[in-house]
């Protein structure tokens, strides 16, 4: 047998093994399932996220923000505006984690009663929504101030990132 034939047969066998393995993985987990892709059910079959969901959320969000801000090569004035956003977000996220836990506990206690007070639950949810809305309004103003301080190159980088993320969510 010639060397060329051996290479072709070896490559064909390797391709066949990879194709069968790939088909097996897709059959077992689905096209976006498994440990490296996809997302579990939105609320984990419950009304609230699991406790592990918020465990290191603040650190992760801040790490992502720092990573993207590092790519922008910010000036000193821009860094000051970025730090204002970062510190505001950091304090809010840590407060949010404790408030979310309290709200979840209150909801669980109330809903497990014989006659739950739905008015109390609705009012506490409305209050929480107003708090989140106020926080978002404040941070959107800070974000707009930060964005207007960027130069054209930096704005283009931010806009490209937003477009890329939006394209992902539209598919």
């Amino acid at each position: 047998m010639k060397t060329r034939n051996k290479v072709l047969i070896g490559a064909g066998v390797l391709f066949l093994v990879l194709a069968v393995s790939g088909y097996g993985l897709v059959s077992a987990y689905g096209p976006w399932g498994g440990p490296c892709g996809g997302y579990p059910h939105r609320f984990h079959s419950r009304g609230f996220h699991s406790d592990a969901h918020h465990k290191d959320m603040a650190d992760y969000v801040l790490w992502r923000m720092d990573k993207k801000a590092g790519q922008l090569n910010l000036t000193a004035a821009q860094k000051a505006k970025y730090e204002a956003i970062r510190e505001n977000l950091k304090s809010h996220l840590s407060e949010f984690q404790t408030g979310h836990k309290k709200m979840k506990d209150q909801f669980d206690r109330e809903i497990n009663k014989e006659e739950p007070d739905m008015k109390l639950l609705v009012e506490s949810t409305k209050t929480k929504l107003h708090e989140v809305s106020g926080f978002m309004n404040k941070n959107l103003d800070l974000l707009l101030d930060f964005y207007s301080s960027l130069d054209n190159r930096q704005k283009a980088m931010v806009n490209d990132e937003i477009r890329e993320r939006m394209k992902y969510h539209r598919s």
Side-chain angles (χ1 to χ4, degrees):
M1 210 181 226
K2 294 183 183 176
T3 305
R4 179 176 170 212
N5 289 345
K6 289 179 184 178
V7 170
L8 288 176
I9 291 172
V13 168
L14 180 63
F15 175 75
L16 185 62
V17 167
L18 289 174
V20 169
S21 299
Y23 178 76
L25 287 173
V26 170
S27 296
Y29 294 113
W32 298 108
C36 297
Y39 298 97
H41 185 266
R42 183 171 196 113
F43 293 111
H44 308 282
S45 302
R46 298 178 298 191
F48 290 90
H49 294 292
S50 69
D51 293 335
H53 177 78
H54 296 288
K55 192 173 187 179
D56 297 318
M57 181 180 69
D59 293 334
Y60 176 73
V61 169
L62 295 173
W63 171 79
R64 289 280 310 247
M65 284 177 52
D66 291 343
K67 182 177 154 185
K68 295 298 179 184
Q71 295 171 353
L72 293 175
N73 296 324
L74 301 174
T75 64
Q78 292 169 338
K79 283 181 183 177
K81 290 181 181 185
Y82 169 74
E83 284 299 321
I85 295 170
R86 187 182 190 286
E87 290 304 315
N88 189 12
L89 190 62
K90 184 178 183 178
S91 66
H92 180 75
L93 286 175
S94 62
E95 291 170 12
F96 175 79
Q97 289 173 343
T98 58
H100 183 75
K101 176 93 170 114
K102 288 178 186 174
M103 186 175 172
K104 179 183 177 217
D105 293 341
Q106 176 191 9
F107 185 86
D108 287 341
R109 277 193 314 271
E110 193 64 38
I111 207 69
N112 287 329
K113 291 181 179 176
E114 185 72 28
E115 293 286 326
D117 186 3
M118 293 308 273
K119 185 175 181 179
L120 174 71
L121 293 175
V122 168
E123 291 301 320
S124 65
T125 303
K126 283 183 179 180
T127 302
K128 188 67 171 175
L129 285 173
H130 287 297
E131 290 173 6
V132 170
S133 176
F135 169 75
M136 292 300 292
N137 283 330
K138 180 180 176 185
N139 276 312
L140 287 174
D141 292 338
L142 289 172
L143 186 62
L144 179 61
D145 186 38
F146 173 71
Y147 182 79
S148 60
S149 72
L150 299 176
D151 63 27
N152 290 335
R153 180 191 63 80
Q154 292 168 326
K155 285 180 181 178
M157 290 174 68
V158 170
N159 291 338
D160 289 341
E161 180 72 22
I162 292 170
R163 284 186 196 107
E164 188 65 32
R165 296 218 173 250
M166 293 304 293
K167 183 172 46 172
Y168 171 76
H169 289 288
R170 284 188 200 128
S171 61

